[in-house]
RNA sequence: GCCGGGAUGGCGAAAUUGGCAAACGCGAGGGACUUAAAAUCCCUUGUCCGUAAGGACUUCCGGGUUCGAUCCCCGGUCCCGGCACCA
């Protein structure tokens, strides 16, 4: 048998220290969370308990949590929920013998911080450190196993120097480029808005209508990586919901590009026919393509438009350009205009009209489509509106070429076949796709193409509070990247940092910063005045943590080799696509550049759930936000942590109910009492308690790795109930392992009790208790007895009892016997579980 | 519309391989201790019938597979999240 409580690595327990004469009050001063929490936080700090030996520690385990944005309101309970979940996992891994690194930092740049600074009239330079101080104070109170010697803030020049370096790595590889792009502009907030910040065509903050502006923006060519970003997902141990969100966002669609020859385009150069290239996922329906549609911005529009239609087309194009980006995408009412031109359908050989409509988007595919109104809802609607021909080319079971389409497009593809499609008639949709693409490809009219919905990442912001993009514009040399040796390009401390409606960053107003010299020729030059997106700051922070003490490199090679990729990452699904995708992209780029040996940054990722309060979403306006300080004051961090983990499954979240915390507090009170009352472990152990203990050790050890914290806590509570059943006094060897099991959840009380039990080092250096499999298995089991599938009673039999023995025992039970009325037809016997008698 | 996750007592939830549905906790009711209250401890608590023994019903709805289904299959409803005029 394996000794309970014995650590495989160290055993600092002094047995004699805990044995007291029975009857003598062991002076339990009572459980005072705030006193012992202060005491142990101070001791951890003094002893360096949570400082990770990054150089030498065995079995490195990088337990990463998503670093917070340090808001003025302080730590949100959602942050603490996530951090506690990560902390328990990290502490457990440490108890398993890993060297665990649990760092924290602050994602402190960005529009959010800047807007708040403007609102309260305090410079972010002053406000952010203040907020960070408050966050640090709150994080320390929560008792996280954070290694504070590696804390970082993205606003620190020693950090953003390397954010700029990351930009330069992308620039060097041709993955950063500048182009004019349509953006949402809020005339009131005087800023570019992300698409997510525009609700129904209005600014989400001020409600003013958003305008479309064309501004020069920096982009990262993330679309080059779309295929890999998608394919690698299959290899990652991540929450399915997160992977699914990324798949949706990347949006792969397999199809073909098909060329439609424009009939006698008047303005094309002599002898050079124009082709409209369309992207389609349904090449099988080409015989049903009765018209083409170009996006209003399509470059071919001007060339092919016929004179009679020119005025109408120009008006339509101008109108479309005026619409803001978002409402253009979400308006469901279709409209369009005929160009007067025709193209040849390469399937039918027939001429079909070319239209312009804003339901076709220039950014996706080729900016042009072949419209198949018979089999596409949008095309159907458009064709009905403008009276364009609708042809059936796909028929389902029991349908044929003449079956009318009715009032909607037929979009089924399963068990459907082609009709009205010449020699392709009768083929399945799948076969038709392949055959038609193959045939068109032979004449160069089509090729298979994969399209992604993912757009390039726009990283420039015309704002102040971010890392300046390290680019200089020189009249002689053009666009010049700032040499690495001249990094960081410091964000100047300016008072006038408010954005204006020029669409140009406030930094442009500061001539002394804006004017500089060219790093190449030394001549007059201007700085790029945009700053980079906050998501660039957070796309690489996990690489920095182990190397925060290095000022000469972004990350130390040896450290990176030792600690990365991240072993375990825990965070919210609100970052499923942006942060997590950008981090993967940046890692891949650095991998391709030969800087990193791995191309995926997070080996395992788990999305935690959301906390609501009393059934309602927490919000400032509702006034139902949980303030961690308040609860920690009242109940202690240990009870607060444990309650957060107990209120629901970690990956689903749960309902924070103020009353609920008392149950967890009672549990800790009883733990405190049990340890202080515990008597020495002489004499005969109580076998039932021993069994329950070993079952609990097994269960908690299995539940924590799968983040099933609520059930682990329930198991410990059950054990506590067993331990104190019938007002028995627990023994020291019964409570000591429980203190260890509780320690990841409630670290302070665990340390206090561990030391009260004679521990001379931290409980977190004491290892994890092991269990005896022989004690886990009950040798007497309660089996259910069913008659015709209905449970009629139970029998208590030895685990090894045979079918006949159980049957005999069952028949001895009068209530069971009375249901066995006729001859027994069949008996189903599941050893140790149940007996089902069929009569 | 497409993709992912859900729906179980008054409430939060559990059931790890298809095997006693409701562990653990909250709330509620009753009791002990107390002059009293708090705290603590004990008992009861899915619904219905029954004094009880016991019985019937019960995991969103409707079917199916199985000796047996919260779990697997088919169809549907609702909730949460992602994507969305993406061709």
């Amino acid at each position: 048998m394996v000794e309970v409580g014995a650590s495989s690595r160290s055993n600092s327990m002094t047995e004699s220290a805990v044995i007291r004469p029975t009857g003598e009050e062991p002076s339990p001063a009572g459980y005072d969370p705030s006193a012992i929490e202060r005491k142990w936080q101070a001791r951890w700090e003094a002893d360096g308990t949570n400082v990770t030996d990054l150089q030498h520690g065995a079995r490195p385990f990088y337990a990463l949590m998503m670093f917070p944005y340090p808001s003025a309101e302080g730590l949100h309970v959602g942050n603490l929920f996530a951090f506690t979940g990560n902390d328990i996992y990290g502490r457990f891994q440490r108890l398993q013998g890993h060297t665990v690194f649990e760092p924290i930092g602050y994602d402190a740049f960005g529009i959010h911080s800047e807007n708040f600074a403007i609102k309260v009239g305090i410079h972010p330079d002053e406000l952010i450190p203040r907020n960070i101080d408050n966050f640090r104070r709150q994080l320390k109170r929560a008792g996280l196993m954070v290694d504070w010697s590696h804390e970082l803030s993205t606003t620190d020049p020693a950090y953003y120097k390397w954010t700029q370096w990351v930009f330069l790595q992308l620039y060097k590889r041709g993955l950063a480029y500048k182009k004019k792009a349509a953006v949402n502009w809020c005339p009131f907030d005087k800023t570019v808005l992300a698409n997510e910040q525009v609700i129904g065509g209005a600014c989400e903050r001020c409600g003013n209508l958003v305008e479309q502006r064309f501004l020069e923006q920096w982009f990262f060519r993330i679309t080059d990586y779309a295929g890999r970003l998608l394919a690698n997902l299959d290899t990652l141990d991540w929450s399915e919901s997160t992977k699914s969100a990324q798949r949706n966002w990347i949006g792969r669609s397999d199809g073909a590009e098909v060329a439609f020859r424009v009939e006698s385009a008047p303005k094309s150069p002599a002898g050079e026919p124009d082709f409209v290239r369309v992207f389609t996922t349904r090449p099988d329906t080409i015989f049903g393509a009765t018209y083409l549609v170009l996006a209003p911005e399509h470059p071919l529009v001007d060339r092919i438009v016929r004179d009679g239609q020119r005025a109408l087309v120009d008006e339509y194009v101008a109108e479309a350009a005026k619409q803001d980006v978002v409402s253009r995408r979400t308006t469901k009412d279709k409209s369009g205009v005929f160009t007067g031109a025709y193209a040849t359908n390469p399937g039918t050989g027939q001429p079909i009209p070319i239209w312009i409509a804003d339901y076709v988007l220039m950014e996706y595919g080729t900016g042009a489509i072949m419209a198949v109104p018979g089999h596409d809802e949008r095309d159907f609607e458009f064709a009905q509106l403008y009276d364009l021909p609708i042809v059936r080319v796909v028929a389902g079971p029991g349908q044929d070429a003449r079956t009318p389409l009715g009032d909607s497009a037929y979009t089924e593809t399963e068990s459907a076949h082609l009709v009205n499609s010449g020699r392709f008639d009768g083929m399945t949709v799948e076969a038709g796709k392949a055959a038609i693409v193959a045939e068109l490809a032979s004449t160069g009219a089509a090729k298979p193409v994969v399209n992604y919905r993912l757009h390039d990442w726009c990283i420039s912001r015309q704002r102040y509070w971010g890392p300046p993009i390290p680019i200089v514009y020189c009249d002689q040399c053009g666009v010049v990247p700032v040499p690495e040796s001249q990094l960081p390009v410091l964000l100047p401390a300016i008072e006038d940092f408010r954005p204006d409606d020029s669409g140009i960053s406030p930094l442009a107003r500061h001539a002394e910063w804006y004017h500089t010299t060219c790093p190449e020729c030394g001549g007059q030059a201007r700085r790029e005045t945009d700053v980079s997106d906050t998501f660039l700051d957070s796309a690489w922070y996990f690489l920095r943590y182990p190397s925060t003490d290095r000022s000469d490199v972004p990350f130390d090679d040896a450290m990176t080799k030792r600690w990365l990729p991240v072993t375990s990452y825990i965070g919210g699904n609100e970052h499923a696509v942006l942060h997590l995708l950008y981090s993967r992209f940046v890692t891949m780029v650095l991998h391709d550049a030969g800087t990193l040996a791995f191309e995926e940054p997070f080996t395992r990722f788990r999305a935690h759930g959301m906390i609501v309060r009393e059934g309602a979403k927490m919000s400032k306006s509702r006034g139902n936000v949980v303030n961690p300080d308040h609860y920690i004051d009242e109940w202690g961090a240990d009870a607060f942590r444990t309650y957060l983990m107990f209120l629901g499954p970690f990956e689903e979240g749960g309902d924070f109910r103020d009353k609920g915390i008392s149950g967890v507090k009672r549990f800790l009170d009883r733990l405190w009492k049990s340890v202080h009352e515990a008597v020495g472990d002489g004499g005969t152990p109580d076998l039932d308690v021993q069994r329950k203990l070993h079952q609990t050790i097994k269960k908690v050890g299995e539940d924590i790795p799968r983040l099933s914290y609520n059930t682990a806590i329930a198991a410990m509570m059950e054990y506590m109930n067993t331990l104190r059943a019938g007002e028995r006094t627990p023994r020291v060897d019964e409570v000591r392992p429980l203190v260890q099991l509780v320690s990841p959840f409630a670290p302070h009380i665990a340390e206090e009790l561990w030391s009260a039990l004679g521990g001379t080092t931290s409980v977190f250096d004491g290892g994890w208790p092991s269990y005896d499999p022989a004690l886990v298995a009950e040798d007497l089991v309660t089996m259910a007895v069913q008659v015709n599938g209905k449970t009629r009673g139970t029998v208590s039999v030895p685990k090894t009892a045979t079918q006949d023995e159980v049957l005999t025992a069952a028949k001895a039970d009068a209530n069971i016997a009375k249901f066995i009325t006729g001859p027994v037809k069949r008996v189903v016997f599941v050893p140790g579980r149940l007996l089902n008698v069929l009569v």
Side-chain angles (χ1 to χ4, degrees), chain A residues 449-673:
Chain A
V449 162
V450 176
N451 254 315
Y452 296 96
R453 223 165 285 181
L454 184 69
H455 285 37
D456 273 346
W457 174 13
C458 175
I459 62 123
S460 46
R461 298 288 180 270
Q462 292 73 44
R463 299 289 294 234
Y464 168 69
W465 194 236
I469 291 174
I471 289 286
V472 161
Y473 302 98
C474 169
D475 292 337
Q476 308 303 315
C477 313
V479 180
V480 181
V482 175
E484 288 176 22
S485 60
Q486 291 179 26
L487 298 181
V489 177
L490 283 172
L491 182 67
I494 56 176
E495 279 313 308
D496 175 22
F497 61 86
R498 281 163 185 72
D500 63 23
D501 58 7
S502 64
I504 298 170
S505 163
L507 291 173
R509 296 195 297 263
H510 295 268
E512 72 290 351
W513 184 85
Y514 174 55
H515 293 293
T516 184
T517 51
C518 173
E520 277 182 16
C521 70
Q524 281 201 348
R526 295 152 286 128
R527 284 193 190 282
E528 168 63 62
T529 56
D530 286 357
V531 299
S532 58
D533 183 5
T534 332
F535 281 106
L536 182 59
D537 303 329
S538 57
W540 76 280
Y541 76 110
F542 48 91
L543 298 172
R544 181 69 185 160
Y545 276 137
S547 306
T548 46
D549 51 351
R550 291 289 298 270
S551 57
D552 54 334
V553 288
F555 35 86
D556 176 82
D557 280 344
M559 280 296 179
T560 304
K561 197 169 169 213
R562 201 166 153 69
W563 285 94
L564 284 132
V566 170
T567 327
S568 159
Y569 196 18
I570 287 176
N573 246 347
E574 67 274 17
H575 293 119
V577 289
L578 298 176
H579 161 62
L580 286 170
L581 194 67
Y582 296 152
S583 298
R584 296 181 59 215
F585 166 61
V586 166
T587 303
M588 258 179 216
V589 172
L590 293 176
H591 167 78
D592 291 352
T595 314
L596 294 174
F598 50 91
E599 64 171 36
E600 285 292 342
F602 314 122
T603 307
R604 169 181 148 122
F605 173 76
R606 289 292 179 277
H608 61 76
M610 274 229 317
I611 307 247
V612 297
R613 186 173 186 194
E614 313 282 348
K617 208 168 176 169
M618 269 183 257
S619 72
K620 252 194 292 182
S621 55
R622 256 198 211 93
N624 65 344
V625 176
V626 171
N627 177 353
D629 277 334
H630 172 80
Y631 285 86
I632 291 175
D633 285 345
E634 185 164 352
W635 303 93
D638 284 335
F640 189 57
R641 287 168 58 108
T642 308
Y643 178 56
L644 285 176
M645 297 301 107
F646 183 62
L647 53 70
F650 184 64
E651 288 174 84
E652 286 167 39
D655 192 3
F656 190 102
R657 294 167 68 251
D658 286 24
K659 294 260 183 155
I661 196 168
S662 60
V664 160
K665 179 61 168 28
R666 268 197 273 272
F667 167 68
L668 294 179
D669 280 335
R670 287 194 286 172
L671 176 67
W672 178 271
K673 218 169 172 181

Side-chain angles (χ1 to χ4, degrees), chain A residues 720-729:
Chain A
M720 177 65 76
N721 291 342
T722 305
L723 207 52
R724 300 183 65 82
E727 309 206 14
R728 73 186 283 280
T729 306

Side-chain angles (χ1 to χ4, degrees), chain A residues 169-204:
Chain A
Q169 304 314 302
L170 277 109
Y171 183 81
K172 265 199 262 180
R173 299 184 65 77
L175 293 169
Y177 67 97
K178 205 171 190 189
K179 75 167 185 201
K180 258 199 165 172
V183 292
N184 305 296
W185 176 262
C186 172
F188 182 81
D189 280 343
K190 304 183 196 329
T191 180
V192 168
L193 299 175
N195 287 350
E196 302 79 47
Q197 294 171 304
V198 180
I199 313 290
C203 172
E204 70 164 355

Side-chain angles (χ1 to χ4, degrees), chain A residues 82 239 396 407 420 505 564 644 706:
Chain A
S239 294
D407 56 3
N420 289 327
S505 163
L564 284 132
L644 285 176
R706 51 189 193 99

Side-chain angles (χ1 to χ4, degrees), chain A residues 364-479:
Chain A
Y364 187 73
T366 58
I369 61 155
M370 66 176 208
V372 185
H375 306 285
D376 181 280
E377 298 288 1
R378 297 150 302 181
D379 298 343
F380 185 89
E381 191 191 328
F382 191 81
Q384 288 221 308
L385 189 61
Y386 292 106
D387 231 353
L388 291 156
I390 302 173
V391 179
R392 176 190 280 277
V393 292
V394 179
Q399 299 178 331
D400 63 27
R402 288 172 306 278
T403 310
L405 280 157
D407 56 3
S408 69
Y410 180 78
T411 55
E412 295 296 316
T413 54
E414 293 293 309
S415 64
H417 61 281
L418 303 191
V419 295
N420 289 327
S421 298
R423 62 204 164 283
F424 302 103
D425 279 357
M427 286 186 178
T428 63
V429 165
E430 252 352 272
K433 275 183 187 175
I436 289 172
V437 172
E439 169 144 338
L440 293 175
S442 68
T443 63
K447 61 178 181 195
V449 162
V450 176
N451 254 315
Y452 296 96
R453 223 165 285 181
L454 184 69
H455 285 37
D456 273 346
W457 174 13
C458 175
I459 62 123
S460 46
R461 298 288 180 270
Q462 292 73 44
R463 299 289 294 234
Y464 168 69
W465 194 236
I469 291 174
I471 289 286
V472 161
Y473 302 98
C474 169
D475 292 337
Q476 308 303 315
C477 313
V479 180

